[in-house]
């Protein structure tokens, strides 16, 4: 279609550029009767008048507010339509969407922080929840070690939605397990025994609050608990020699499931 106009109107191409809608949309609105150009050139091309443009501008505004085309048609063509009431209702829906987007933005901020920091708790909150043996550097160390793994992503996503009270429940469950671990070592429970294997399984269940733990991954953790100075000090602070004994019961359980602890990998 040539982009020419006579003195009384604008072509569809000119209107598309001026109003900010596609030529295809203008053709559709023309075909459905929502916004038809009022004039034609001698060659048969349709032209939009100033009144047509005013209607188009109203359609664009209503559409940007989220109104459907049928609702827009009713507001434009029905003289009894309650335009202020319809706009108030749409304003309420817009406010709801804004609030949902605000909540989504807050959630995304927390997710980003969780992926970068691990724990969305202050140092004071960490100490209060996890106890005096907790090292606030552990989350950063864990991110350095596991930040590119699927497990870190799972941990971060759980952390992003977890409140301090929920973290307290996780900490209480882990503290209860560690007490049972120390009591079992005191009682002379031997690696590979039903009692020891129950403790190993309980550890996997409690640890699942962070991310699902396979037996091979558990072997890797047991190795770290014994060899890493921070973790070894934590467990040996509960009972002298507990870090080594913990690794022993994990390794014995792994062998019972056909896993060689010496070759176990993080998988």
């Amino acid at each position: 279609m040539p982009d020419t106009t006579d003195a009384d109107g604008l072509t569809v191409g000119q209107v598309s550029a001026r109003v900010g809608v596609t030529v295809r949309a203008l053709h559709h609105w023309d075909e459905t009767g929502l916004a038809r150009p009022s004039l034609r050139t001698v060659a048969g091309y349709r032209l939009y008048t100033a009144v047509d443009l005013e209607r188009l501008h109203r359609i664009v505004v209503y559409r940007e507010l989220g109104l459907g085309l049928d609702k827009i048609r009713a507001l434009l063509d029905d003289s009894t339509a309650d335009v202020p009431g319809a706009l108030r209702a749409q304003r309420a829906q817009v406010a709801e969407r804004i609030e949902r987007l605000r909540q989504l933005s807050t959630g995304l901020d927390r997710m980003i922080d969780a992926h970068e920091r691990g724990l969305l708790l202050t140092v004071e909150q960490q100490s209060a929840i996890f106890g005096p043996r907790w090292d606030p550097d552990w989350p950063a160390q864990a991110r350095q070690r596991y930040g590119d793994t699927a497990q870190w992503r799972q941990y971060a996503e759980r952390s992003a939605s977890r409140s301090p009270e929920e973290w307290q429940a996780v900490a209480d469950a882990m503290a209860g397990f560690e007490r049972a671990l120390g009591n079992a070592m005191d009682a002379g429970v031997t690696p590979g025994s039903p009692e020891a294997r129950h403790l190993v399984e309980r550890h996997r269940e409690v640890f699942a609050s962070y991310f699902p733990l396979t037996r091979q991954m558990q072997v890797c953790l047991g190795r770290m608990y014994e060899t890493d100075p921070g973790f070894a000090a934590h467990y040996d602070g509960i009972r002298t020699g507990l870090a080594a004994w913990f690794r022993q019961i994990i390794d014995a359980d792994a062998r019972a499931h056909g896993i060689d602890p010496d070759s176990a990998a993080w998988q």
Side-chain angles (χ1 to χ4, degrees):
M1 177 183 292
D3 194 20
T4 58
T5 178
D6 50 22
D8 296 322
L10 298 174
T11 67
V12 65
Q14 291 171 317
V15 169
S16 172
R18 181 170 298 190
V19 178
V21 298
T22 66
V23 170
R24 181 178 179 180
L26 291 172
H27 282 313
H28 176 67
W29 296 351
D30 181 5
E31 292 167 1
T32 60
L34 178 63
R36 285 176 172 159
S38 301
L39 300 177
R40 286 182 182 271
T41 67
V42 292
Y45 297 116
R46 295 188 173 188
L47 299 174
Y48 291 83
T49 66
V51 173
D52 297 334
L53 278 178
E54 180 181 349
R55 182 180 177 94
L56 284 170
H57 282 299
R58 292 178 69 191
I59 292 171
V60 170
V61 170
Y62 288 158
R63 191 176 65 164
E64 289 180 349
L65 291 174
L67 294 173
L69 295 183
D70 289 340
K71 184 67 174 179
I72 292 173
R73 186 195 307 274
L75 291 177
L76 293 177
D77 297 338
D78 185 354
S79 60
T80 65
D82 180 10
V83 175
L87 294 178
R88 288 191 184 96
Q90 196 63 25
R91 181 179 63 186
Q93 293 182 26
V94 168
E96 291 176 2
R97 289 201 297 272
I98 290 172
E99 177 58 22
R100 288 197 298 271
L101 288 172
R102 187 195 66 77
Q103 293 175 359
L104 177 60
S105 177
T106 299
L108 287 171
D109 287 342
R110 286 183 62 82
M111 189 74 75
I112 292 167
D113 285 347
H115 275 277
E116 293 179 343
R117 294 167 45 200
L119 276 176
L120 303 186
L121 299 170
T122 66
V123 171
E124 293 75 17
Q125 287 174 322
Q126 292 180 48
S127 179
I129 291 171
F130 300 112
R133 295 192 185 95
W134 176 263
D135 185 345
D137 290 334
W138 282 345
Q141 293 171 9
R143 184 178 186 273
Q144 281 188 325
R145 186 173 297 177
Y146 304 113
D148 59 349
T149 66
Q151 289 73 36
W152 178 264
R153 291 190 290 273
Q154 291 170 314
Y155 166 67
E157 288 165 8
R158 294 181 183 189
S159 177
S161 61
R162 192 165 280 166
S163 67
E165 293 75 20
E166 290 170 323
W167 273 119
Q168 185 66 64
V170 171
D172 290 345
M174 185 60 75
F177 164 75
E178 290 177 346
R179 284 193 299 272
L181 195 69
N183 292 337
M185 191 184 78
D186 288 345
V189 171
T190 58
S193 66
E195 295 87 350
R197 294 183 64 183
H198 172 74
L199 280 170
V200 173
E201 187 61 30
R202 182 176 170 185
H203 173 249
R204 292 178 64 239
E205 292 172 359
V206 173
F207 196 93
S209 296
Y210 302 102
F211 53 81
L213 190 67
T214 67
R215 297 188 189 282
Q216 291 219 38
M217 290 158 60
Q218 189 180 29
V219 169
C220 295
L221 283 181
R223 190 184 304 149
M224 182 181 68
Y225 292 156
E226 183 182 23
T227 59
D228 180 272
F231 282 104
H234 170 75
Y235 284 105
D236 288 344
I238 299 171
R239 296 289 193 283
T240 301
L242 186 60
W245 185 79
F246 192 8
R247 178 180 180 180
Q248 291 168 19
I249 67 170
I250 290 174
D251 287 357
D253 183 76
R255 292 188 189 94
H257 287 86
I259 298 170
D260 178 7
D262 294 331
S263 61
W266 189 263
Q267 60 185 27

